Amino acid sequence: MRVAFFEVKDWEEEYLKKRLNGHLLKFFNEKLSLENVQQIKNFDSVSVFIYSKIDERIIRIIPNLKLITTRSTGFDHIDVETCKKQGITVCNVPSYGENTVAEHTFALILSISRRLCMTCPRFQHDFSIEGLMGFDLKGKTIGVIGAGQIGLHVIKIAKGFGMNVLAYDARQNKLLSDVIGFEYTSLEDLLSRSDIITLHVPYNKYTHHLLDKDKFKLVKEGAILINTARGSIVDTEALIEALDKKILSGAGLDVIEGEELIKEEKQLLYDPKNLEVLANIVKGHILLSKDNVVFTPHIAFYSKEALERILETTVQNIGAFVSGKPQNTI
Ligand code: NAI
């Protein structure tokens, strides 16, 4: 099998070479794009991370493409419908880091609740505690939107902190809610009762701007929003307004809408066709410049253990496909 890997680091390349002996492998540090796809037009398989957008145009240029493995749980960067029509198998890594992302969720929560974001820049020579009063998590209510693998792990950690837990999910598991001790409720009720709201649904057409201006009107005053899911689940303009109007007292964001554009803004800035793109970049910058916003650059998954699990599952996904028994298909 000819497999092209995109968005790989050197250590990952070493690992994959050892584990995929016998296959023809090609590695790219950069993402898959219209600029480099010509170099792999004879390949049967590509493996990507989330910044490679695989759309119909890319797929058309690789006529023998049979397998796409994304080294992520989310697969909103892949045009799955076109893949289905073309008979291309798409595999993801469904569970590599529910604990990893849940732990990062709490890193964001605690950095707001204990003012770590404000303490770090000034801690070296300043022992003043002015403006650094935090708040306890014990006894507070956390609302988990999407109680799947990551959301459930967040719930378990929250219970350890002594928090009350509300959950909103399209699918409910009564047994789990009884055993772990949390309450399923509607999205509207969750928003109005939660001190901390945390997002763990996938991004798709149903969850696009799930939190918009109208939904923010329901939010309990002074709540905190945490997003480690996908940026476009929240309408950025509405989020900025909610922070300005003090509906939210803070936000911890690992993902923001158009984060990939902000990464690439140097290439985009001077193209007048990209007005919408520029608007997104500006909104992103406004958001990130706020004192009460803690931002991490999409690293919730980024722990040593999780990365090893991702690579190993990807190797197994390729092996399973080659042996005619695909696994982790979308
Ligand atoms: P999961 O599939 O186990 O859980 C998602 C839950 O959301 C499910 O229980 C599902 O029923 C629920 N859901 C889906 N659509 C819904 C809707 N429209 N309304 C209400 N509930 C809905 O997924 P998992 O593993 O918990 O991951 C969640 C998301 O986290 C991923 O899709 C991905 O986008 C994001 N993620 C972010 C990472 C990061 O580094 N920041 C790393 C890994 C995942």
Side-chain angles (χ1 to χ4, degrees):
M1 190 127 182
R2 281 167 292 188
V3 193
F5 286 89
F6 292 84
E7 304 177 77
V8 276
K9 305 267 184 304
D10 292 348
W11 74 268
E12 292 173 306
E13 186 174 327
E14 291 310 309
Y15 183 97
L16 291 163
K17 275 181 185 160
K18 271 189 212 141
R19 294 286 288 111
L20 289 168
N21 204 357
H23 296 281
L24 180 78
L25 309 177
K26 195 171 169 79
F27 297 94
F28 295 81
N29 290 137
E30 69 268 22
K31 63 183 185 180
L32 172 59
S33 66
L34 284 169
E35 279 81 57
N36 59 22
V37 64
Q38 291 290 347
Q39 297 180 47
I40 58 143
K41 60 183 180 189
N42 298 323
F43 276 61
D44 334 271
S45 173
V46 297
S47 177
V48 295
F49 186 54
I50 57 166
Y51 296 109
S52 298
K53 300 275 174 247
I54 307 191
D55 57 17
E56 208 177 339
R57 289 176 306 168
I58 295 267
I59 290 169
R60 235 185 281 133
I61 300 171
I62 323 171
N64 298 329
L65 189 60
K66 294 181 191 71
L67 173 68
I68 298 170
T69 54
T70 181
R71 301 189 304 282
S72 60
T73 303
F75 48 85
D76 44 282
H77 51 295
I78 301 171
D79 180 349
V80 180
E81 281 307 311
T82 299
C83 290
K84 203 171 160 186
K85 280 187 211 143
Q86 304 286 331
I88 298 164
T89 302
V90 183
C91 303
N92 72 340
V93 183
S95 64
Y96 62 85
E98 53 272 22
N99 69 296
T100 312
V101 179
E103 286 171 26
H104 194 81
T105 301
F106 270 85
L108 290 171
I109 294 173
L110 288 165
S111 69
I112 294 175
S113 71
R114 304 318 304 248
R115 308 287 185 252
L116 300 185
C117 44
M118 295 157 82
T119 314
C120 290
R122 77 184 209 197
F123 86 106
Q124 274 186 336
H125 302 290
D126 187 351
F127 281 74
S128 146
I129 61 170
E130 191 63 36
L132 296 181
M133 188 172 66
F135 64 86
D136 287 351
L137 295 185
K138 188 177 174 199
K140 296 288 185 312
T141 297
I142 185 167
V144 178
I145 299 179
Q149 303 206 65
I150 295 170
L152 280 172
H153 211 92
V154 167
I155 290 174
K156 284 191 257 174
I157 298 177
K159 296 300 289 183
F161 274 97
M163 302 182 82
N164 308 312
V165 182
L166 301 174
Y168 165 68
D169 199 295
R171 286 178 300 176
Q172 303 194 352
N173 186 328
K174 174 90 175 68
L175 179 66
L176 272 182
S177 72
D178 287 348
V179 172
I180 302 175
F182 66 93
E183 177 190 340
Y184 282 110
T185 189
S186 65
L187 179 58
E188 290 73 17
D189 185 55
L190 180 148
L191 295 175
S192 68
R193 287 167 61 199
S194 300
D195 301 294
I196 295 167
I197 298 159
T198 182
L199 289 164
H200 302 289
V201 282
Y203 175 67
N204 53 42
K205 63 181 174 185
Y206 305 106
T207 58
H208 177 78
H209 288 186
L210 184 69
L211 296 191
D212 58 11
K213 278 190 188 177
D214 287 340
K215 292 292 183 339
F216 277 116
K217 284 182 193 150
L218 305 173
V219 167
K220 181 175 176 180
E221 198 179 323
I224 283 167
L225 176 70
I226 304 294
N227 190 1
T228 58
R230 284 292 182 270
S232 300
I233 297 169
V234 183
D235 176 351
T236 307
E237 221 170 292
L239 172 56
I240 293 170
E241 193 183 304
L243 287 161
D244 287 344
K245 289 187 170 167
K246 311 264 186 271
I247 295 170
L248 290 174
S249 62
L253 309 172
D254 185 51
V255 288
I256 59 167
E257 205 168 14
E259 64 195 48
E260 65 285 357
L261 305 175
I262 294 179
K263 269 183 132 182
E264 292 173 5
E265 67 182 282
K266 284 196 187 73
Q267 293 156 41
L268 292 162
L269 263 177
Y270 304 106
D271 185 348
K273 277 183 265 163
N274 282 322
L275 281 180
E276 200 183 327
V277 169
L278 286 174
N280 266 330
I281 290 172
V282 171
K283 278 186 240 167
H285 281 296
I286 293 172
L287 189 59
L288 300 188
S289 66
K290 292 193 172 296
D291 287 345
N292 50 357
V293 171
V294 182
F295 173 69
T296 51
H298 205 138
I299 53 165
F301 72 98
Y302 198 52
S303 76
K304 181 174 181 291
E305 293 80 0
L307 290 180
E308 284 168 1
R309 286 192 292 266
I310 289 171
L311 285 189
E312 192 45 40
T313 305
T314 301
V315 166
Q316 286 169 12
N317 285 349
I318 294 168
F321 179 83
V322 171
S323 67
K325 292 180 188 151
Q327 63 171 28
N328 298 325
T329 53
I330 290 157

